[in-house]
Amino acid sequence: MPEVKAFLDEDLPLYHNMDLKYLAGADPELILLNIQFEELQRIPLSDMSREEINQLMQELGFYRKDTPDSPVPEAFQMAPANSLPSDVEAMKNRRAKEKKGAGGPDL
C-alpha cells in the first residue's frame, strides 16, 4: 500500500473538503458523506494506485489546490457537489481493465 500512503501524505492535503482519520487496523477507504454528514458510500483504496485515487477524486468532483494553503475559488467552496457516479465499482473495474491492457496479456 505504498501508493495509498503516498496519496495520503502528499496528495490528500491538496484536496478541498477532505478529512483524514486513522483507525488502527482498518484498511484505507474513502467515505463519502452528504452535507448532513450522512454516509453515502465507502470506496476501498487498498488496491488502487496513487494515480487511480487522484483520478477518482477528480471524477467525484473534489477540488485540487496547487498547494495545501492555496485559496479555494468561491465556485468550489461547497465542492464536491457532483452526484455520485451510479456505480463506483464499474469505474474501478474499467480502470483495472485499462491497467491490465497496458501491461500486455496475462501469463
Side-chain angles (χ1 to χ4, degrees):
M1 282 191 285
E3 293 267 331
V4 176
K5 182 167 178 19
F7 171 81
L8 295 176
D9 292 343
E10 299 172 34
D11 299 333
L12 186 75
L14 301 175
Y15 285 99
H16 178 62
N17 282 343
M18 289 296 301
D19 190 19
L20 176 64
K21 295 188 183 193
Y22 286 99
L23 300 175
D27 287 334
E29 58 186 354
L30 177 64
I31 302 172
L32 302 173
L33 307 174
N34 66 15
I35 199 161
Q36 290 86 25
F37 298 99
E38 298 166 334
E39 185 177 317
L40 299 173
Q41 188 164 12
R42 288 177 180 252
I43 304 169
L45 301 178
S46 299
D47 295 331
M48 296 177 74
S49 71
R50 180 179 180 180
E51 181 180 331
E52 289 171 325
I53 299 169
N54 275 295
Q55 182 178 355
L56 174 64
M57 298 296 288
Q58 296 295 308
E59 289 175 10
L60 291 171
F62 285 92
Y63 179 78
R64 184 178 169 130
K65 302 178 280 184
D66 293 328
T67 67
D69 297 327
S70 293
V72 176
E74 184 67 31
F76 295 100
Q77 288 295 320
M78 298 300 289
N82 294 353
S83 15
L84 280 177
S86 57
D87 190 358
V88 171
E89 206 55 44
M91 286 176 14
K92 287 173 53 182
N93 289 337
R94 183 184 76 235
R95 280 196 212 97
K97 286 179 185 175
E98 290 169 358
K99 185 188 293 186
K100 191 181 221 183
D106 288 338
L107 297 177

